[in-house]
């Protein structure tokens, strides 16, 4: 009998790639989505008899996952990806911290109560839960799977950027604390990606504005010569590798109780601009900026991310920057072209 996996937040950018990996490997997937409209859309996209959905309107609501676990007692794996990833809020506590932390706790409480067959739980955490902001921009710092973001609640509510980073930190901490306090039978692992690039799984999901991390590339493709290049930098990893890591997290015994720090390399918006200008002559409006400055900024202003332990557990090569960015940009261009021909 096929192994049944429950996956929360299945409409998301990363989660859709996880669904694909799971279906490709013949898992049965129960996707949680926020409405039946979103669920029906997902079923149409995947067109697979092994995919079904349950509605969880808001992961932050008490008991949010109880019905899902009650209805799927034969599930053995639970993957929790649902969490807000945006910076559009005036109320960090309500819109970012609460859904991240309470959503994670609600999932674990439901598993503890009703998921008697759940053996493994994988939570999509983040590099944001690993790196303290000031260390991530210290070229002398070396950051690895053992580190924790030291952000406080006071710092968290200062602005949505800190708020998002704190939401991932507090949620992941809550998960490890929960497992310890309840002496849970299931085994927890987390996947902690840096900024996630790469194409949307389906061309039809390429809209004018994309999910937060993909928008970092999309925004470059829309720049006009007089525009300033946004200033942004950090670690990055391809979505297809992040999706595969979610399966490694529960399939490979070496990943048990581990945090998989998913990072392929480092970028600045200028390094994306340089690549776009080199590979995509049709995007001739993208301003030239200061070619090569991105690479220097990476060397001079970003910490070393040491994820050698994770790479050993993964056992596969990570997609490189050129391919990840080029595949993302090519998809955006193709979709724009196809829309203009309608
Ligand atoms: P998306 O915004 O594409 O996906 C987020 C998903 O979570 C969506 O399905 C969304 O549903 C759902 N969701 C958000 N809030 C709630 C809520 N209150 N109740 C129910 N569902 C909710 O983002 P990504 O795919 O990029 O992110 C997925 C996960 O990966 C998140 O946990 C994020 O923190 C983490 N992550 C992402 C990184 C990245 O660079 N992309 C880097 C590191 C970690 P809906 O769309 O219907 O609102």
């Amino acid at each position: 009998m096929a192994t049944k996996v429950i996956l929360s937040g299945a409409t998301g950018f990363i989660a859709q790639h996880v669904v694909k990996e799971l279906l490709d490997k013949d898992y049965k997937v129960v996707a949680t989505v926020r409405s039946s409209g979103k669920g029906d859309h997902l079923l149409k996209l995947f067109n697979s008899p092994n995919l079904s959905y349950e509605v969880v309107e808001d992961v932050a609501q008490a008991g949010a996952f109880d019905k899902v676990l009650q209805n799927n007692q034969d599930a053995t794996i639970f993957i929790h990806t649902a969490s807000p990833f945006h910076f559009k809020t005036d109320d960090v506590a309500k819109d970012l911290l609460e859904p991240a932390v309470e959503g994670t706790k609600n999932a674990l409480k439901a598993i503890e109560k009703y998921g008697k067959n759940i053996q493994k739980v994988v939570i999509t955490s983040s590099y944001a839960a690993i790196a303290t902001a000031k260390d991530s921009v210290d070229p002398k710092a070396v950051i690895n799977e053992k580190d924790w973001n030291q952000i406080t609640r006071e710092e968290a509510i200062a602005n949505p950027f800190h708020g998002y980073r704190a939401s991932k930190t507090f949620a992941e901490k809550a998960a490890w604390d929960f497992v310890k306090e309840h002496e849970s039978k299931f085994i927890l692992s987390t996947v902690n990606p840096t900024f996630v690039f790469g194409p949307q799984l389906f061309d039809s999901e390429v809209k004018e504005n994309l999910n937060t991390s993909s928008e970092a590339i999309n925004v470059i493709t829309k720049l006009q010569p007089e525009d300033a290049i946004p200033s942004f930098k950090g670690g990055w990893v391809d979505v297809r590798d992040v999706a595969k890591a979610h399966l490694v997290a529960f399939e490979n015994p070496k990943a048990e109780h581990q945090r998989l720090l998913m990072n392929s390399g480092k970028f600045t918006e200028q390094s994306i601009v340089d690549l776009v200008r080199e590979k995509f002559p049709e995007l001739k409006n993208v301003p030239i900026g200061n070619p090569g400055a991105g690479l220097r900024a990476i060397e001079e202003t970003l910490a070393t991310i040491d994820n050698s332990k994770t790479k050993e557990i993964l056992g596969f090569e990570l997609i490189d920057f050129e391919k990840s960015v080029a595949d993302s940009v090519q998809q955006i261009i193709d979709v724009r072209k196809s829309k203009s021909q309608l």
Side-chain angles (χ1 to χ4, degrees):
M1 221 172 62
T3 301
K4 194 190 249 192
V5 180
I6 300 173
L7 175 102
S8 74
T11 50
F13 166 56
I14 295 174
Q16 290 195 12
H17 283 269
V18 180
V19 172
K20 177 188 183 298
E21 287 295 322
L22 290 167
L23 293 175
D24 283 353
K25 291 183 91 172
D26 292 329
Y27 288 102
K28 260 179 127 57
V29 181
V30 178
T32 83
V33 294
R34 302 184 82 161
S35 67
S36 55
K38 290 188 177 189
D40 292 341
H41 178 64
L42 205 65
L43 294 188
K44 229 184 241 163
L45 287 175
F46 282 96
N47 188 25
S48 163
N50 285 332
L51 179 65
S52 61
Y53 74 83
E54 298 263 0
V55 173
V56 175
E57 213 177 291
D58 182 1
V59 294
Q61 273 168 15
F65 288 97
D66 290 1
K67 213 169 73 54
V68 179
L69 271 297
Q70 283 167 332
N71 291 349
N72 295 282
Q73 305 249 337
D74 51 339
T76 56
I77 311 291
F78 190 104
I79 304 177
H80 181 55
T81 82
S83 204
F85 184 13
H86 62 80
F87 309 119
K88 294 167 278 183
T89 174
D90 300 327
D91 191 341
V92 163
K94 179 170 156 286
D95 295 333
L96 298 177
L97 302 183
E98 205 178 294
V101 176
E102 294 309 314
T104 301
K105 284 195 199 162
N106 288 334
L108 297 179
K109 280 182 198 164
I111 293 166
E112 197 71 34
K113 224 164 158 186
Y114 304 109
K116 61 178 185 318
N117 290 316
I118 298 285
Q119 293 162 11
K120 299 217 173 162
V121 174
V122 178
I123 293 178
T124 317
S125 183
S126 173
Y127 177 63
I130 290 183
T132 304
K134 73 171 176 18
D135 295 339
S136 66
V137 290
D138 174 359
K140 289 195 233 65
V142 179
I143 294 170
N144 69 26
E145 294 87 348
K146 288 202 203 96
D147 290 310
W148 275 98
N149 186 345
Q150 300 298 321
I151 193 165
T152 62
R153 195 171 164 91
E154 289 67 43
E155 290 165 333
I157 51 177
N159 67 52
F161 296 98
H162 289 310
Y164 171 70
R165 293 175 52 77
S167 78
K168 300 307 289 179
T169 307
F170 300 163
E172 193 195 325
K173 270 208 180 117
W176 291 111
D177 287 348
F178 184 99
V179 169
K180 220 174 168 181
E181 280 161 22
H182 292 78
E183 297 175 10
S184 302
K185 282 203 308 297
F186 58 81
I187 293 166
L188 176 65
S189 310
T190 63
V191 178
N192 298 58
T194 50
F195 231 56
V196 182
F197 294 152
Q200 305 292 318
L201 182 61
F202 297 102
D203 287 353
S204 60
E205 303 305 281
V206 179
K207 308 278 158 59
E208 179 62 21
N209 294 310
L210 299 177
N211 57 288
T212 300
S213 60
S214 305
E215 191 56 24
I217 292 177
N218 195 27
V219 85
I220 300 279
T221 69
K222 293 189 265 193
L223 289 177
Q224 296 301 309
E226 65 280 9
D227 291 337
I229 296 169
S231 153
F232 199 73
K233 61 188 173 185
W236 75 275
V237 62
D238 192 275
V239 67
R240 291 159 288 194
D241 291 332
V242 174
K244 285 204 291 193
H246 281 78
L247 275 73
V248 170
F250 69 83
E251 287 179 336
N252 183 345
K254 283 192 195 155
E256 290 179 1
H257 315 290
Q258 300 299 318
R259 308 168 87 198
L260 299 178
L261 169 43
M262 295 300 295
N263 181 62
S264 183
K266 290 179 269 184
F267 78 101
T268 68
E269 292 288 24
Q270 180 70 52
S271 48
I272 298 175
V273 164
D274 292 352
L275 202 138
V276 165
R277 288 185 56 91
E278 184 199 328
K279 300 259 168 213
F280 298 95
E282 61 267 60
L283 294 178
K284 55 183 183 307
N285 282 340
V286 173
I288 188 162
N290 190 356
L295 291 178
R296 284 196 299 281
I298 287 170
E299 290 299 320
E300 290 165 13
T301 63
L302 288 176
T304 298
I305 301 174
D306 174 11
N307 63 340
S308 42
K309 185 176 175 192
T310 297
K311 283 185 178 155
E312 200 204 308
I313 296 171
L314 294 177
F316 59 81
E317 287 294 310
L318 296 175
I319 291 170
D320 65 32
F321 185 67
E322 208 170 295
K323 178 172 170 52
S324 189
V325 175
D327 287 355
S328 314
V329 174
Q330 190 64 59
Q331 184 184 47
I332 291 167
I333 292 174
D334 290 348
V335 169
R336 274 187 205 149
K337 273 189 194 147
S338 72
K339 280 188 182 152
S340 69
Q341 279 159 11
L342 287 178

